[in-house]
Amino acid sequence: MPNRIRVALIGLLLAALPASSITAQSAEYISSYTWPAPTPRTGGFSALEVSEDGQKFTAISDLGLIATGQLHRKDGLISGVTAMQSILKNTENGKLSAFNSDAEGLAIRKDGRIYVSFERYHRIWTYNRPDGQAAWIPRHPGFGEMDLNGGMEALAIGPDDALYTMAEGSSNLTTPFTVYRYRNGTWTTPFSIPRIGTFLPVGADFGPDGKLYLLERKLRSVFGFETRVRRFTISGDVISEGITLLKTPAGTHDNLEGLSVWRDAEGDIRLTMVSDNNLNALQRTEFVEYRIKE
């Protein structure tokens, strides 16, 4: 089936399946909010960071844009979104070329420094502000071995301020995902994450509990996307086996690619996710939230 037809069918099916079809799990579904695109270039969001109070957000898009804005809430649920977008710049303070603009991963340090991972030419750049000039993070040799469209979509900063990332794929269905860690100017590969089925990592964040949350996605033919979130405990160079917090049937949500983890006023962990609508009119930019009561 041609890809354009497949995407169109996925978009139609996404709107038909209610979130109430989500299977039982430890993450409790809260709500979804569809953001009507204020401009034709609003969308394609691949990564998300939300402030500690759940009110502000930063997202990046496949077009090499960065959006910063407000999540308006009513009774704790997202009721509206306002944002402004700026163009991510290159290391010469200029415009990104089309080939180099595919921003996929986002992490923001506590002091506000921004890290962005890019696909195609696999790399991580850092910015001191959204409209600032990019600076290089040294490349690990393994970045050059990643598939053209299978780069670092998951990017996160740990409690130790180390940067963690992984490729979207692995060599086969049983090969684990190698985790790259950048700390004190040096890349290492301290551990890997078991690959379970055909899900692929597309987003990651460390929660306020210090644990790593991994967002994974699977395209289930014309029935749409399946979503899974796993949680891991990291101690030095050791990672736990991990537990699955969330797994949704195909088409429950749109193409969720960005994940941010924070703690709400009730003390519960919140998972806030955003979808990449591929700038397709039949898909939607969707903010989705789940709660973990512990």
Side-chain angles (χ1 to χ4, degrees):
M1 179 184 296
N3 187 61
R4 64 182 183 277
I5 297 176
R6 182 182 294 111
V7 171
L9 289 172
I10 288 169
L12 292 172
L13 288 163
L14 285 171
L17 189 61
S20 60
S21 64
I22 298 165
T23 56
Q25 57 227 334
S26 58
E28 172 193 353
Y29 173 73
I30 299 177
S31 66
S32 301
Y33 176 81
T34 297
W35 183 19
T39 72
R41 289 169 62 84
T42 300
F45 293 116
S46 300
L48 176 71
E49 286 282 352
V50 174
S51 60
E52 292 182 355
D53 61 1
Q55 303 294 322
K56 298 179 181 179
F57 79 95
T58 303
I60 55 170
S61 84
D62 300 339
L63 298 175
L65 301 175
I66 184 167
T68 56
Q70 189 82 18
L71 297 174
H72 303 284
R73 295 183 179 272
K74 183 177 181 180
D75 299 326
L77 308 181
I78 299 174
S79 58
V81 177
T82 56
M84 60 177 296
Q85 293 190 135
S86 56
I87 300 172
L88 288 169
K89 296 179 180 178
N90 61 23
T91 56
E92 297 178 350
N93 208 33
K95 184 179 179 180
L96 293 169
S97 67
F99 182 81
N100 288 327
S101 63
D102 190 4
E104 294 288 347
L106 172 69
I108 302 179
R109 211 164 60 188
K110 289 183 178 180
D111 63 2
R113 176 157 288 278
I114 300 166
Y115 297 85
V116 178
S117 60
F118 295 83
E119 264 187 348
R120 299 180 189 168
Y121 179 32
H122 305 303
R123 68 199 188 279
I124 299 174
W125 281 351
T126 181
Y127 300 82
N128 61 1
R129 62 180 191 272
D131 61 349
Q133 179 176 337
W136 276 98
I137 296 296
R139 296 179 77 226
H140 187 281
F143 294 176
E145 300 173 3
M146 296 176 183
D147 292 340
L148 186 67
N149 195 38
M152 298 169 285
E153 296 206 9
L155 187 67
I157 294 177
D160 57 354
D161 279 342
L163 198 63
Y164 293 80
T165 189
M166 67 200 77
E168 187 183 358
S170 62
S171 58
N172 57 60
L173 292 178
T174 60
T175 301
F177 303 110
T178 299
V179 175
Y180 299 86
R181 182 175 64 197
Y182 184 72
R183 186 169 59 187
N184 298 326
T186 301
W187 283 106
T188 58
T189 52
F191 44 74
S192 60
I193 291 178
R195 179 167 179 169
I196 302 176
T198 56
F199 280 91
L200 299 175
V202 291
D205 195 19
F206 280 86
D209 53 4
K211 297 179 181 180
L212 175 65
Y213 292 74
L214 181 66
L215 170 63
E216 297 172 290
R217 172 195 62 193
K218 177 167 69 172
L219 176 58
R220 185 77 171 181
S221 185
V222 297
F223 296 104
F225 299 93
E226 295 183 28
T227 295
R228 185 172 69 193
V229 176
R230 288 190 283 167
R231 182 174 64 189
F232 303 86
T233 299
I234 295 174
S235 179
D237 290 350
V238 178
I239 189 169
S240 67
E241 182 178 347
I243 62 171
T244 297
L245 301 172
L246 165 66
K247 184 178 178 182
T248 66
T252 305
H253 302 299
D254 207 297
N255 178 28
L256 297 179
E257 287 198 11
L259 168 69
S260 187
V261 185
W262 53 286
R263 194 180 299 279
D264 63 21
E266 287 71 40
D268 298 326
I269 293 288
R270 287 272 188 118
L271 310 177
T272 302
M273 293 168 279
V274 69
S275 66
D276 177 356
N277 69 351
N278 296 302
L279 300 172
N280 186 308
L282 295 177
Q283 293 181 255
R284 61 190 184 272
T285 297
E286 181 183 28
F287 287 88
V288 177
E289 292 196 313
Y290 284 78
R291 174 191 295 121
I292 302 171
K293 286 185 172 292
E294 296 183 331

